[in-house]
Amino acid sequence: MPLQLHPRLKQDCIELGRFKLCRLLLMNDSQFPWFLLIPERPDLTELYQLNQQEQVQFIEESCYLSKHLATLFHADKINVAAIGNLVPQLHIHHIVRYHSDIAWPAPVWGRFDPVNYTPDKIQEIRQLLTPIIKNYE
C-alpha cells in the first residue's frame, strides 16, 4: 500500500520524485528552496522508528540531497531538521539558506506567509532535480 501523506503535506507541498526509501517534496514557498524527505513507511513519527538499515539509507539520501541542493542552489547553508509538532508524520526538512534571505539567520518556520511558486518555476525546479533523483544509486 502506498504511503498516505499527511493532509498538511499534501496541501503545502509538491511531489518531485522518489529515492530508494524516501519521497521528495518541494514546500510551496518560493521564498526558500525548501525540500522534504518522507520515508515510504506507514505510521512513523520519529527517525529511530526506522530499522537500522533504513536509518542508514535515510542518512545517505539526506546527505546526497543536501550536497546536490548546496551545489545547484549555491547555498550558504543547508538547514536539515525534523520538527513534527504540527505534522506528526515523519518528514525531514532540507532548506537552502542564504545570508541574504529574508529570515537569515533565524529559522524559517512561521515567520512569513508563504509565497507560492509559479507553474513555470515549479517546472524549472523539477527539471533541475530530476537528474539528481534518477542518478541516485
Side-chain angles (χ1 to χ4, degrees), residues 7-58:
R8 183 81 182 254
L9 294 177
K10 279 185 184 180
Q11 171 189 311
D12 294 349
C13 299
I14 299 147
E15 187 167 339
L16 296 177
R18 295 176 183 193
F19 294 112
K20 289 180 183 175
L21 176 65
C22 295
R23 191 177 301 188
L24 176 62
L25 303 180
L26 170 67
M27 180 68 74
N28 195 5
D29 185 353
S30 63
Q31 297 168 103
F32 310 96
W34 183 344
F35 302 86
L36 292 88
L37 285 179
I38 297 96
E40 291 277 346
R41 302 293 182 268
D43 304 321
L44 296 179
T45 58
E46 305 295 340
L47 198 53
Y48 67 79
Q49 293 171 319
L50 293 167
N51 68 41
Q52 186 175 17
Q53 181 181 354
E54 291 169 333
Q55 290 172 17
V56 170
Q57 182 67 40
F58 174 81

Side-chain angles (χ1 to χ4, degrees), residues 77-94:
K77 178 76 175 99
I78 301 290
N79 290 167
V80 178
I83 308 298
N85 295 346
L86 294 177
V87 176
Q89 181 176 31
L90 179 59
H91 63 288
I92 312 297
H93 299 266
H94 295 70

Side-chain angles (χ1 to χ4, degrees), residues 90-106:
L90 179 59
H91 63 288
I92 312 297
H93 299 266
H94 295 70
I95 307 167
V96 177
R97 299 298 306 272
Y98 303 102
H99 295 239
S100 61
D101 74 44
I102 61 172
W104 186 268

